[in-house]
Structure formats: C-alpha cells, structure tokens
Amino acid sequence: MSTYETKDWACAHEIRPADIYNRYLPYKTDGFFIEIGMGGTLPPSASNTGDFADIGWSGAFFEPMQRYCEEAEIRHKDNLDRIKIFNCAVGDEEGELQLFPGDTLIKELHIHYDKIGWLPEKYKETYGEHFTKVITPTQALQMAKCPARYDVLSVDVEGFELKIIENYDFNRWRPILAVIELRTDNASFTPEQKVDSDRVIEIMIDNDYQIVHRDPANFWFLDNLYLQHGEE
C-alpha cells in the first residue's frame, strides 16, 4: 500500500483553484483540458475547467445529464469552435446506467446523500428518471482527440472516480494537473465509504503524481515528470 505526503502549504484552505493553476500553468492561454462530470455551468454554478475555455483553451466535457449539456452549450456558445460536449458518463465498461438524485450512478451513494440531508425534497420529487450511456476512459479521450501530454484532467463523478482512474491509461494520456473529487477528507462519509477514494490516491502516486493541494471536496495532483522535464 502506498503512502503519500503533501507540502505544508498544500492543506491551506484559503488557496483558490486559480492559485494552483497559475502556480503550475502560469497564465496559460492555449491549454487543453478534459472534464469528466461537468455538472451545472450557468451561474451561480460553475465547472472546474469552464473558465479555461473563455481564455482560449481547447478541450472536452463529458456529462451524463442532458440538461447540463444543454446549459453548457449556452454557457460556452462563444467557445464551441474549441470545445466538445459529450452527453455520456465515463466508467469501467461500456453500457447504460441509471442516474439517481445527487447525479450519482451509485444507488447506495444516493441513499447516503439523502440520509445526511444533501437532497431537498422538491429536488427529489422533480428529478425524474434518467439513464445514460457509459463509455470507457480510453473511448472518451479518443473522442476528444486528446493529446498525449495535456494540461488539466478534472474528475467529479459522485463516487465513480475509482472506476475511471483505475482504467485510465497514464502511459498514453498524461495530464500535468489532475483535480479529482475524493471523500478522504470529508467528514460526511464513513471510513468504509472512503476506501475507493484512498485507492484513487494510491493509483495516482503509483503513476508518479504528487498531491499539491487537498480539501474536503477535491485532491489536486501534479505530474512529477512535468516537474522534472517541463513540457518537452
């Protein structure tokens, strides 16, 4: 089992995502991103990478909720020449799965969200029934025409993170930064519910990434090869 360490400053909650991006990708305007699990993009909501498209980046969003994809087409109407929006989920195998309130593909996680009060009654009543196509990480990056070396991978998929990361080919597609929603530091989850998140951390470290920031929602990983060799 891998162990992991992080720098002293990396646990400071006052650090903003923009600070992390600008520290390692300083004010870059021609980058490439992959965002798996986009969520809502119209204000007051925002995705992890949406602002990149506004400053010239290219990339792709993968989102199982059709409504969010339609919102993204409005939000990014001026960026559609550089970005792609795919209405599908990403997981360990092709198929079709149901989405449950909380936008999760895992029924047990939906039940937990409800138990801890994260799902308002009106939201549950109006959620409806949703099914989504599921593709593999390899299929997703091929569809996105992702370069072998790119800038940012974002994964926010409500408990499906391990299914993506353990099937992701880091030898073929290597992001400089990866921001992944994990439950390791979130007090709303039990140790048993954090096992998958802990395994994601092990996989990232085994693939030569280091943790540069962590908070109750997300962990940020930096490619050690980038630190050693830059973008060559």
Side-chain angles (χ1 to χ4, degrees):
M1 179 174 177
S2 300
T3 59
Y4 55 92
E5 297 179 352
T6 185
K7 299 184 185 300
D8 293 340
W9 64 268
C11 291
H13 293 296
E14 66 271 15
I15 293 176
R16 303 170 304 155
D19 296 329
I20 301 171
Y21 291 134
N22 288 328
R23 182 181 180 96
Y24 298 108
L25 301 167
Y27 306 96
K28 191 168 187 175
T29 58
D30 60 349
F32 192 96
F33 67 86
I34 294 288
E35 181 154 4
I36 302 174
M38 172 180 60
T41 55
L42 293 179
S45 299
S47 73
N48 283 333
T49 63
D51 290 344
F52 290 142
D54 294 332
I55 60 171
W57 286 38
S58 302
F61 297 105
F62 294 87
E63 170 54 49
M65 281 291 286
Q66 182 177 349
R67 173 169 62 89
Y68 293 150
C69 292
E70 293 169 353
E71 288 182 3
E73 289 181 356
I74 297 170
R75 162 68 176 81
H76 290 290
K77 60 183 175 60
D78 296 326
N79 303 322
L80 294 176
D81 59 325
R82 288 175 282 100
I83 67 167
K84 300 180 178 69
I85 302 168
F86 298 100
N87 182 199
C88 61
V90 181
D92 54 337
E93 59 182 4
E94 284 187 86
E96 183 180 78
L97 291 173
Q98 183 175 358
L99 273 166
F100 298 96
D103 298 335
T104 178
L105 297 167
I106 303 171
K107 187 174 183 179
E108 294 77 12
L109 193 56
H110 151 67
I111 293 170
H112 180 70
Y113 285 171
D114 195 25
K115 182 179 179 181
I116 62 178
W118 284 10
L119 306 177
E121 289 300 321
K122 185 176 180 181
Y123 166 79
K124 291 185 291 182
E125 291 170 1
T126 59
Y127 191 81
E129 188 174 67
H130 302 279
F131 289 85
T132 183
K133 176 183 178 181
V134 183
I135 61 174
T136 67
T138 293
Q139 290 172 316
L141 272 69
Q142 288 174 334
M143 289 165 57
K145 295 181 169 52
C146 183
R149 162 69 74 183
Y150 66 105
D151 297 285
V152 174
L153 168 67
S154 172
V155 181
D156 183 346
V157 288
E158 305 303 330
F160 234 57
E161 292 81 14
L162 179 59
K163 291 182 182 297
I164 293 171
I165 296 302
E166 68 182 356
N167 289 282
Y168 187 102
D169 187 351
F170 286 97
N171 293 319
R172 185 171 179 183
W173 292 289
R174 199 163 181 91
I176 295 172
L177 279 171
V179 52
I180 306 175
E181 183 184 56
L182 297 175
R183 297 179 289 281
T184 297
D185 291 346
N186 194 319
S188 296
F189 297 91
T190 67
E192 292 76 15
Q193 291 171 321
K194 297 178 180 183
V195 169
D196 283 3
S197 292
D198 294 341
R199 177 60 186 144
V200 168
I201 295 171
E202 293 177 7
I203 292 171
M204 295 302 294
I205 291 172
D206 288 344
N207 279 281
D208 212 6
Y209 283 80
Q210 65 169 281
I211 300 165
V212 292
H213 180 58
R214 59 196 287 180
D215 60 40
N218 297 304
F219 273 59
W220 300 74
F221 300 90
L222 177 68
D223 182 10
N224 285 321
L225 300 181
Y226 173 74
L227 284 179
Q228 296 165 11
H229 306 293
E231 295 190 78
E232 47 178 65

